[in-house]
Amino acid sequence: MSIVSVTHLEAGYEDTPVLRDVSMTAEEGAITAVLGTSGCGKSTLLKNIIRLNDAWSGSVRMFDEEVMVMDEPEFNQLLKRVGVLFQNGALLNSITIAENVAIPLEQHTRLPAPVRDHLIRIKLALVELEEAIDKLPSELSGGMRKRAALARAMALDPDLLFCDEPSAGLDPVTAAGLDNLICRLRDQLGMSVIVITHHVPSIIRTADKIVYLSDGGVLFSGTVKEARSSGIEQIERFFREGVKDY
Amino acid sequence: MRRVSHPVCRFADSTVSVDAPLTKDTVPGIYAEIDGHRSVWEDTALTLDLSAVTRIDSAGVALIETLRSRVNERGGSLTITGGSKDVLALIETFTVTRDGKRQPRPKRRFFEGMGEQLYTFWQHLGAFFILVADTAFYSVQGMFTRSGMRKGEFTKQCIFIGMNALPIVGLISFLIGFILALQSAAQLRQFGASIYVADLVAISMTREMGPIMTAIALAGRSGSAFASEIANMVVTEETDALKTMGLNPIQYIVVPKMYAITVTTPMLTILSMLIGIFGSLVIGVTYLDLSVGPFMDQVANALILRDVIIGLAKSVIFAWIIITVGAYFGFTVSGGAEGVGRATTASVVTSIFMVILADSILGLIFYFGGGAF
Ligand SMILES: Nc1ncnc2c1ncn2[C@@H]1O[C@H](COP(=O)(O)OP(=O)(O)O)[C@@H](O)[C@H]1O
Ligand SMILES: [Mg+2]
């Protein structure tokens, strides 16, 4: 079953179209990588799937339900099963890292305080940020903020996790660690992951499927292996150039 | 939702057997149940039997970790038995916490806090005077060379500080003149001295109210905008970028604003004085039955050039205070976007306070040094 399926999506900002006709699916329990040059509309696609932007036309299905016609409460119910890592982290700046991770836990569970605190520590340890637990976001580097935001996104072990450029700004060792973590979440929790990324090594390591956006549409979708022998010059070059700085 | 009816745990000696999935939905109930039986396990080597646990998530692992640290604290230990391969693998994934104790931010005692505040106040004051000196230096230098300043900024700032402030300064001044006249009329009328309302308002508008009201409007409008602009630039590292490109942020950002505010504030102040007097004229004519001609003659007699000049000189000093205080709080911002808001608020409160303080000091100087001025 497809956990997310987008058909003929058309979307943009004010009257500038960004996505002209996008159709794609992401399978349950798989890691789907959304690729494309920067500015091609990857983040826009994500924002339209989770209804932060209102799409112009087309359809979005999540967990086999039509998303665009849902009312607020219904959709919020659905969002409990979804975690989102935003491109810029989007941590709340006035509270500590621990308090940021606590938000979804307090909002959606009734875990007793000591268990909740242990859970926060577990999540921060997974992204190797235990020592930053009582710091404010402004006291962390960009890469650390990204990791803290990932800890918050997966606080509830969501069934579906969106990651907008998780490895941007991370060193190669930490980035590989995150890839590893995302694979384990998929294998052990059956988590479905949709990850936006440019990072070719991590695509090769993790992605079960890739969706390549270009020019407002989907240029290619399939496995990495298929992509590398697809005969589409733009995609083959993407992998060739990307592997070089591996 | 997967609801579980309790009890789901069995307690035998120091073994707790859990017979339900251990997930974020079941953990609150299970924790309460285990906690209720703490006398059975708290002081001992607790064994947690997971044979019947079919599913576990990170909240379940957090529950295990919570129990482990509670037993450890009392010198016991926790052992896990049973548990399918999948369950154990997931526990393995999530058990990465080292049992590091969190170090809470240190609490300060009262006098320590006071001392520290006094110390930071002196530090602030020192840094502030350095900024004032830099600004003065670059402002004077800038009169001879245009390089290093943001192009077109002077005109833009003149419009922003001057033109756009006209309506609010006008309105405030009109109301102040109006109220001053109304208040004093009530008193002066008893002595048949209504006409002296003109003197009173003319003198207080030129010497005090004009400059002060203009300064307060400027602090609220331009000073705050200015502090938040600089603070934003600092937070987004734009000022660092300027430095790496060989530009001095004070010279580039502050000096053009300094010129603009120095030129426009006296004009705004004159306007404020005139409109304030006009406000009092309205009271004079409608409430005190004075006619326009004699009222204006009285104003002209009361006004002396010296008062107007003192008023304008004060307004320029206030303008400089607003600019430097705004710049100071902008440059010393800390703590991301949140800090920008704090810097802006602090700059408005501080500059209004400093303007009034400066006004009192100048008042004393003019009063006691009266002969010299
Ligand atoms: N909030 C916005 N308002 C207007 N245009 C936007 C906005 N966000 C993004 N865009 C434009 O939409 C296009 C796609 O952006 P985005 O989806 O962020 O690209 P990316 O693939 O790098 O994530 C870009 O041309 C960008 O300029
Ligand atoms: Mg993006």
Side-chain angles (χ1 to χ4, degrees):
Chain A
M1 185 193 90
S2 298
I3 195 129
V4 172
S5 86
V6 174
T7 29
H8 300 303
L9 182 76
E10 195 189 0
Y13 298 93
E14 268 125 57
D15 39 41
T16 319
V18 176
L19 306 175
R20 291 201 182 76
D21 182 6
V22 172
S23 297
M24 58 150 298
T25 59
E27 306 311 316
E28 187 169 5
I31 297 176
T32 306
V34 177
L35 324 177
T37 49
S38 65
C40 73
K42 303 181 295 296
S43 300
T44 306
L45 175 61
L46 165 62
K47 284 183 202 159
N48 278 283
I49 293 175
I50 53 177
R51 287 212 334 197
L52 290 176
N53 286 1
D54 288 326
W56 295 354
S57 69
S59 118
V60 175
R61 293 178 73 80
M62 239 196 276
F63 303 110
D64 236 7
E65 292 186 72
E66 184 61 47
V67 163
M68 289 197 205
V69 297
M70 287 185 175
D71 58 21
E72 274 305 286
E74 264 181 305
F75 188 66
N76 284 337
Q77 208 58 33
L78 195 80
L79 281 183
K80 282 190 193 176
R81 301 171 62 191
V82 176
V84 183
L85 165 62
F86 288 92
Q87 184 160 6
N88 297 312
L91 295 170
L92 301 192
N93 277 306
S94 53
I95 54 179
T96 65
I97 299 303
E99 287 163 338
N100 264 287
V101 180
I103 296 173
L105 297 175
E106 278 161 5
Q107 187 67 23
H108 295 309
T109 73
R110 290 177 300 114
L111 294 178
V115 177
R116 190 195 61 214
D117 291 346
H118 269 99
L119 186 50
I120 292 169
R121 275 219 252 158
I122 287 173
K123 291 297 154 84
L124 286 174
L126 284 176
V127 294
E128 292 170 34
L129 266 187
E130 285 158 299
E131 75 285 4
I133 188 162
D134 286 317
K135 291 210 164 117
L136 291 170
S138 58
E139 296 167 334
L140 303 186
S141 74
M144 290 165 91
R145 280 203 285 269
K146 212 32 157 320
R147 282 185 277 151
L150 178 61
R152 184 178 68 178
M154 58 182 198
L156 290 167
D157 297 340
D159 296 321
L160 174 58
L161 179 66
F162 291 96
C163 298
D164 197 344
E165 307 202 3
S167 46
L170 297 186
D171 60 281
V173 176
T174 315
L178 279 193
D179 291 342
N180 201 336
L181 171 62
I182 289 175
C183 287
R184 267 187 297 160
L185 293 175
R186 169 194 59 189
D187 298 340
Q188 297 178 344
L189 287 171
M191 200 182 278
S192 315
V193 185
I194 296 183
V195 55
I196 294 171
T197 181
H198 299 290
H199 195 228
V200 171
S202 98
I203 296 164
I204 295 173
R205 271 198 297 263
T206 63
D208 299 306
K209 174 181 181 178
I210 67 167
V211 174
Y212 194 103
L213 293 186
S214 169
D215 212 12
V218 176
L219 185 60
F220 171 87
S221 96
T223 64
V224 175
K225 211 168 140 216
E226 288 162 5
R228 299 180 83 169
S229 55
S230 62
I232 304 173
E233 170 55 20
Q234 195 179 346
I235 292 175
E236 290 186 350
R237 200 175 67 225
F238 179 86
F239 280 98
R240 261 201 322 274
E241 298 296 319
V243 168
K244 275 187 198 158
D245 47 51
Y246 189 14
Chain B
M1 282 275 109
R2 318 131 227 166
R3 284 272 165 256
V4 179
S5 58
H6 294 279
V8 294
C9 301
R10 276 170 296 117
F11 300 86
D13 295 332
S14 57
T15 301
V16 178
S17 315
V18 183
D19 187 12
L22 265 180
T23 65
K24 58 179 178 281
D25 299 311
T26 62
V27 161
I30 294 175
Y31 183 76
E33 215 181 309
I34 297 180
D35 190 48
H37 288 75
R38 59 176 163 275
S39 54
V40 182
W41 52 267
E42 212 166 37
D43 293 319
T44 51
L46 168 66
T47 308
L48 201 57
D49 181 5
L50 302 181
S51 312
V53 172
T54 47
R55 227 156 40 76
I56 187 167
D57 68 4
S58 59
V61 179
L63 172 73
I64 297 174
E65 287 302 308
T66 309
L67 295 176
R68 190 195 303 283
S69 68
R70 279 181 64 172
V71 204
N72 286 352
E73 254 167 43
R74 291 168 154 263
S77 65
L78 181 134
T79 323
I80 291 170
T81 61
S84 65
K85 213 169 105 257
D86 288 348
V87 167
L88 293 179
L90 206 114
I91 293 176
E92 163 86 33
T93 294
F94 285 122
T95 310
V96 276
T97 52
R98 278 163 257 128
D99 213 20
K101 282 272 168 285
R102 286 162 73 163
Q103 292 189 336
R105 292 170 177 246
K107 283 203 183 64
R108 270 186 268 108
R109 281 193 223 97
F110 182 69
F111 285 106
E112 239 177 289
M114 291 251 292
E116 199 162 300
Q117 273 186 7
L118 197 67
Y119 177 70
T120 51
F121 175 76
W122 282 115
Q123 275 190 323
H124 272 284
L125 207 64
F128 178 70
F129 279 114
I130 291 172
L131 179 91
V132 169
D134 278 357
T135 309
F137 173 78
Y138 287 115
S139 297
V140 173
Q141 193 202 47
M143 290 194 274
F144 305 104
T145 161
R146 292 265 134 213
S147 75
M149 265 186 260
R150 205 192 290 194
K151 304 283 174 294
E153 183 71 359
F154 174 73
T155 323
K156 205 179 108 199
Q157 287 298 326
C158 280
I159 292 170
F160 174 69
I161 297 172
M163 296 282 285
N164 297 349
L166 280 179
I168 187 67
V169 169
L171 182 63
I172 293 179
S173 307
F174 177 82
L175 292 175
I176 287 287
F178 188 87
I179 294 164
L180 272 180
L182 200 62
Q183 297 286 340
S184 48
Q187 309 297 322
L188 290 171
R189 199 141 79 150
Q190 296 173 11
F191 311 106
S194 304
I195 190 67
Y196 288 105
V197 166
D199 297 63
L200 195 142
V201 173
I203 291 173
S204 50
M205 277 317 290
T206 48
R207 287 197 64 143
E208 284 300 328
M209 286 310 188
I212 285 273
M213 287 302 139
T214 309
I216 287 176
L218 281 184
R221 258 189 103 262
S222 313
S224 63
F226 187 36
S228 77
E229 180 191 340
I230 294 186
N232 255 316
M233 294 181 80
V234 172
V235 168
T236 56
E237 295 176 326
E238 285 173 57
T239 48
D240 291 343
L242 284 177
K243 286 183 212 159
T244 60
M245 294 183 287
L247 290 160
N248 181 305
I250 292 179
Q251 196 178 6
Y252 188 76
I253 312 165
V254 183
V255 171
K257 292 181 205 289
M258 191 78 184
Y259 290 162
I261 208 170
T262 309
V263 170
T264 51
T265 309
M267 297 187 198
L268 281 175
T269 307
I270 289 181
L271 180 90
S272 163
M273 295 168 178
L274 293 177
I275 292 184
I277 292 171
F278 174 70
S280 70
L281 177 66
V282 170
I283 289 291
V285 171
T286 59
Y287 178 62
L288 297 174
D289 296 327
L290 300 170
S291 40
V292 179
F295 190 94
M296 290 317 290
D297 283 345
Q298 192 71 20
V299 168
N301 279 334
L303 278 185
I304 38 177
L305 188 61
R306 177 174 165 269
D307 283 348
V308 177
I309 289 175
I310 287 179
L312 293 182
K314 284 209 296 201
S315 79
V316 171
I317 292 174
F318 297 161
W320 290 348
I321 290 176
I322 291 165
I323 281 288
T324 44
V325 169
Y328 177 72
F329 282 102
F331 280 120
T332 54
V333 66
S334 68
E338 177 84 354
V340 176
R342 275 200 306 268
T344 310
T345 313
S347 96
V348 174
V349 173
T350 311
S351 55
I352 290 179
F353 170 72
M354 296 232 332
V355 161
I356 291 173
L357 187 71
D359 189 45
S360 325
I361 295 172
L362 290 171
L364 288 175
I365 293 175
F366 290 137
Y367 185 81
F368 288 107
F373 296 95

